[in-house]
Amino acid sequence: MRKKIIAGNWKMNMTPSQAVALVNELKPLVANEEVDVVFCVPAIDIIPAMEAAKGSNINIGAENMYFEESGAYTGEISPAMLTDVGVKYVVLGHSERREYFAETDQTVNKKVLKAFEHGITPIICCGETLEQREQGVTIDFIRQQIKIAFLNVTADQAKSAVIAYEPIWAIGTGKVATTAQAQEVCAAIRACINELYDEATGSAIRIQYGGSVSADSAAELFAQPDIDGGLVGGASLKADFGKIVNYK
């Protein structure tokens, strides 16, 4: 039985002092040992959020990471910097990183390999645009993203990975894929992992749904056989995130 993982992606929100206040507000609201709870926060918030989360069930993750160990990469953050402060999760390949910062499937793959090298669990994002959905190429497009992201990743590594399916047309729009649509794509992702590795690997990997997840939609989405939790954007910045984590 796969343990659900519910992660908040704060994006470019919350100053360090605001981050501490939010963690302290949410700590009692997300206290659910039945799920893994992760707050993926801006780099400047990681250390204060870690301090605030001590003694709770909250894991603090990063929103991005570079694929080099160190060097002349102004503004980037290395895997060693993350592991040194205890980060165990990192969001990679989010659609906003792809759209605004020119990330490609190939750079996502490099980051995934580097994350595994340092013992960091990658939350690997994939998702289609509204145009791609209307053209009927959603599954083909997602399969391509997954195949490239997992290039040279071992089966043992893949089993510990998290994949976040986020239809781009549903991120921050208030639109949510229907439960059937979300389950269909998450099942296709699992089938793709089965093909790349084997059924044991496909059964082990956790697949999240993201895209305007709310307290109202969480229970039905997370009840689906191939949806193992959510990557939550705006709702993770509010007390309502507690209702999502305690969706049952």
Side-chain angles (χ1 to χ4, degrees):
M1 187 75 178
R2 294 181 299 270
K3 189 177 185 180
K4 296 283 194 267
I5 177 167
I6 301 174
N9 177 20
W10 288 12
K11 308 192 179 184
M12 197 178 73
N13 294 294
M14 297 289 142
T15 64
S17 59
Q18 289 172 332
V20 169
L22 183 58
V23 170
N24 283 329
E25 178 188 2
L26 289 175
K27 271 195 292 192
L29 304 179
V30 300
N32 182 353
E33 297 295 339
E34 292 183 10
V35 304
D36 286 332
V37 179
V38 186
F39 292 171
C40 295
V41 307
I44 198 169
D45 294 343
I46 290 173
I47 292 174
M50 282 257 187
E51 288 297 314
K54 277 184 177 175
S56 74
N57 64 316
I58 297 169
N59 293 282
I60 300 299
E63 295 180 11
N64 186 35
M65 183 200 81
Y66 201 50
F67 52 75
E68 295 289 355
E69 296 289 340
S70 62
Y73 304 104
T74 301
E76 291 292 342
I77 187 166
S78 75
M81 292 173 185
L82 297 180
T83 56
D84 191 64
V85 295
V87 168
K88 293 184 173 62
Y89 293 90
V90 62
V91 175
L92 298 177
H94 193 280
S95 61
E96 291 156 4
R97 297 290 314 173
R98 296 174 191 256
E99 181 179 358
Y100 304 136
F101 303 102
E103 289 206 0
T104 65
D105 291 336
Q106 288 72 26
T107 56
V108 171
N109 174 244
K110 288 182 179 181
K111 291 182 178 187
V112 168
L113 292 171
K114 186 58 70 172
F116 280 126
E117 189 179 319
H118 283 263
I120 303 172
T121 298
I123 299 175
I124 304 163
C125 299
C126 60
E128 84 282 11
T129 64
L130 183 59
E131 182 181 25
Q132 288 165 331
R133 175 160 283 277
E134 290 175 343
Q135 290 170 340
V137 298
T138 293
I139 302 299
D140 292 335
F141 180 73
I142 299 294
R143 282 172 59 87
Q144 176 178 305
Q145 288 185 311
I146 295 301
K147 286 183 176 183
I148 297 174
F150 281 84
L151 192 64
N152 296 320
V153 172
T154 68
D156 282 342
Q157 289 171 333
K159 286 175 183 176
S160 68
V162 178
I163 298 173
Y165 166 57
E166 293 196 305
I168 296 169
W169 48 271
I171 298 175
T173 62
K175 295 180 180 177
V176 183
T178 66
T179 303
Q181 287 172 326
Q183 164 58 23
E184 178 190 22
V185 178
C186 289
I189 292 169
R190 200 174 304 283
C192 185
I193 296 295
N194 288 343
E195 291 173 25
L196 291 175
Y197 300 99
D198 49 44
E199 287 192 14
T201 306
S203 294
I205 200 165
R206 294 189 288 182
I207 303 172
Q208 299 173 313
Y209 170 76
S212 300
V213 176
S214 68
D216 293 332
S217 63
E220 186 177 346
L221 284 166
F222 300 166
Q224 301 309 301
D226 291 295
I227 300 178
D228 305 310
L231 183 59
V232 183
S236 69
L237 301 170
K238 306 170 187 173
D240 264 11
F241 189 56
K243 296 176 183 176
I244 295 173
V245 169
N246 296 285
Y247 61 93
K248 288 183 180 178

